Amino acid sequence: MVKLFKDQLRLLNFLSYLLLFGFGLAFGAIASRSMINYNSFLFFVTQSSFSPPLPPAQPLAPTPAAAEQPLLSITSFLEGNDTKVLSNGLEDYLKPPEVKHHMNDRELLLRASKVPRTQQFPYKIAPKVAFMFLSRGSLPFGPLWEKFFKGHEGMYSIYVHSNPSYNGSIEPEGCVFHGRRIPSKEVKWGQFSLIEAERRLLANALLDFSNQRFVLLSESCIPLFNFSTIYSYLINSTKTFVEVYDDPTVVGRGRYNRRMKPLIELRQWRKGSQWFEIDRDIAIEFVSDHKYFPLFGRLCKRSCFGDEHYLPTLVNIRFGEKNSNRTLTWVDWTMGGPHPTKFFRTNVTIELLKMLRSGSECEYNGKTTNICHLFARKFLPNSLERLLRFAPKIMSFTL
């Protein structure tokens, strides 16, 4: 009995030792794993707290060859791109839009007001002069202008605004005026529709990014010099050419409406010729103006002729320092009345043309010059034959 009790006691002790041994092994394993994780955590905290941060990634420097790469022409730029989407997108973006479109005035002006103001492009592009003709219908001096533009493709753009009712002959293919009539609306002399037509012409011309200078002409205008001379004069000018002056008489300040205050004060009110030459900055401001344009539309009526006051006043307020305050289009007001002198066939002489070309004195790029007018009006259609005869000798046209 005693022996049996001792045997059971030994078995109980053995089981106790075995249980303690197992518990010790389990505790040791858990403790070892915890220590490893703790050391790892300590290492991570130490590295995060005391190690210096990694330097930011630097952009790759251009290779010397790329740094010395000249600006590409648009053709080379497009041909050098293998990405079809990029090439097509850029080409479509820069390609002059079709003159015929289905935009209404609001859509057209909105699109034109969003065009880039910058003249810098990642390729070479020839700056163009936009010749904008405000016409009732036909262009009687078309043959003279044909001779003027001949051989200078890619350096000019043409836009013609004529009354929608005009149903005369369409310019034949190959003619510089072919397909250049923009979607137009009726225009009446002395009314605000004249300014709306000017904005319509400018908006269409602004959609061609290569147009840098913009000239407004009428169907009775003629050029006084050849294309190269006029192009150089405009493109290289540091000033724009909008006639702006303060007229204290009844046909000047007398047309000011006091209800234009405070947006336009009497001291800011100006007068000038409708026929202008401007750059992209003024052109974009002209088509996107929502401040002064509506004001003129409401308050400049009847005896107030908007085409004589809106742009001169706008330029005086916003662009006074960059404007020459003179027009490039000669016209004779010496006879008095609401309309300038008209020139018939017999009035057109070599002496007249020489006087128009160099009979006055003005400033150009800070220097005195006798070339002050590049265009002249109002010439009647029957003077075309004499002008074509005198053009090669007087204007140095290449016929």
Side-chain angles (χ1 to χ4, degrees):
M1 188 72 175
V2 173
K3 184 178 179 182
L4 179 60
F5 176 78
K6 289 181 178 180
D7 291 339
Q8 290 177 344
L9 184 61
R10 287 195 204 98
L11 179 60
L12 183 61
N13 289 337
F14 174 77
L15 291 174
S16 299
Y17 289 137
L18 185 62
L19 183 61
L20 287 172
F21 178 76
F23 179 80
L25 284 177
F27 179 82
I30 293 173
S32 298
R33 187 176 185 122
S34 299
M35 185 62 69
I36 291 172
N37 290 337
Y38 176 74
N39 288 337
S40 299
F41 173 75
L42 261 176
F43 177 78
F44 172 77
V45 171
T46 304
Q47 288 295 96
S48 301
S49 304
F50 300 104
S51 297
L54 293 174
Q58 298 294 326
L60 294 176
T63 62
E68 298 173 2
Q69 180 85 11
L71 292 177
L72 299 176
S73 69
I74 182 170
T75 304
S76 301
F77 181 84
L78 293 174
E79 291 177 351
N81 279 282
D82 295 329
T83 307
K84 185 176 181 180
V85 174
L86 175 62
S87 297
N88 289 342
L90 184 61
E91 187 175 16
D92 292 341
Y93 186 67
L94 297 170
K95 183 172 60 176
E98 295 292 333
V99 171
K100 293 292 184 181
H101 56 74
H102 299 288
M103 290 183 285
N104 58 37
D105 277 0
R106 183 176 181 181
E107 294 167 336
L108 173 65
L109 293 170
L110 178 61
R111 182 177 174 187
S113 67
K114 303 300 182 182
V115 297
R117 294 177 182 265
T118 180
Q119 299 179 16
Q120 301 298 321
F121 296 96
Y123 44 76
K124 292 180 180 178
I125 185 170
K128 293 192 296 189
V129 176
F131 292 83
M132 307 179 301
F133 292 84
L134 185 56
S135 169
R136 293 180 178 86
S138 65
L139 297 170
F141 293 104
L144 181 66
W145 286 104
E146 285 275 356
K147 304 298 183 184
F148 171 80
F149 289 117
K150 184 178 180 181
H152 301 284
E153 293 76 13
M155 302 175 73
Y156 65 86
S157 300
I158 296 175
Y159 304 88
V160 181
H161 186 295
S162 55
N163 277 344
S165 59
Y166 173 68
N167 56 3
S169 59
I170 300 176
E171 294 80 6
E173 290 190 24
C175 171
V176 295
F177 294 101
H178 177 75
R180 304 310 300 175
R181 293 184 183 270
I182 68 171
S184 308
K185 292 185 178 180
E186 185 179 4
V187 175
K188 293 185 178 180
W189 180 82
Q191 296 190 10
F192 202 66
S193 56
L194 276 169
I195 306 178
E196 294 172 333
E198 294 171 10
R199 279 166 46 111
R200 207 171 290 123
L201 280 164
L202 279 172
N204 279 276
L206 278 168
L207 299 184
D208 184 344
F209 297 159
S210 58
N211 287 330
Q212 298 299 322
R213 310 291 290 208
F214 306 81
V215 182
L216 181 66
L217 302 162
S218 75
E219 74 269 25
S220 67
C221 284
I222 65 168
L224 296 176
F225 296 88
N226 60 26
F227 181 89
S228 298
T229 301
I230 291 180
Y231 178 86
S232 177
Y233 196 101
L234 298 180
I235 293 296
N236 295 320
S237 175
T238 59
K239 298 279 189 176
T240 55
F241 300 92
V242 179
E243 187 177 49
V244 176
Y245 62 93
D246 182 12
D247 183 354
T249 70
V250 67
V251 295
R253 293 186 190 176
R255 295 174 177 173
Y256 173 74
N257 190 323
R258 296 186 180 277
R259 287 190 292 163
M260 290 185 172
K261 290 182 179 181
L263 288 182
I264 300 176
E265 302 285 346
L266 178 60
R267 58 182 174 79
Q268 298 172 310
W269 182 257
R270 292 296 183 270
K271 185 179 180 180
S273 170
Q274 172 187 4
W275 313 104
F276 60 77
E277 188 283 330
I278 57 180
D279 60 10
R280 284 190 74 85
D281 286 341
I282 298 181
I284 295 174
E285 184 70 22
F286 197 158
V287 303
S288 60
D289 175 29
H290 298 294
K291 183 177 182 180
Y292 305 107
F293 182 78
L295 191 67
F296 269 83
R298 294 196 309 270
L299 302 178
C300 186
K301 297 180 179 180
R302 292 182 289 277
S303 61
C304 176
F305 301 105
D307 58 299
E308 295 183 3
H309 294 282
Y310 169 70
L311 186 58
T313 300
L314 176 66
V315 169
N316 178 57
I317 295 174
R318 299 294 305 274
F319 302 97
E321 294 183 358
K322 69 182 300 182
N323 186 55
S324 65
N325 296 336
R326 63 184 178 92
T327 179
L328 294 177
T329 301
W330 183 90
V331 66
D332 182 11
W333 289 100
T334 59
M335 301 299 291
H339 300 285
T341 302
K342 296 179 180 180
F343 291 90
F344 296 84
R345 176 183 178 278
T346 54
N347 300 128
V348 179
T349 63
I350 292 177
E351 290 71 28
L352 173 67
L353 294 176
K354 285 184 177 180
M355 185 273 293
L356 299 182
R357 286 162 54 90
S358 58
S360 54
E361 200 172 83
C362 58
E363 183 179 292
Y364 175 78
N365 286 355
K367 297 181 180 180
T368 302
T369 178
N370 61 356
I371 300 179
C372 301
H373 299 102
L374 304 182
F375 313 97
R377 61 185 302 266
K378 276 184 137 178
F379 287 80
L380 296 182
N382 60 18
S383 62
L384 174 62
E385 181 183 351
R386 291 174 71 89
L387 288 169
L388 287 174
R389 190 194 320 162
F390 296 148
K393 182 177 181 180
I394 304 300
M395 307 174 193
S396 301
F397 279 21
T398 302
L399 301 181

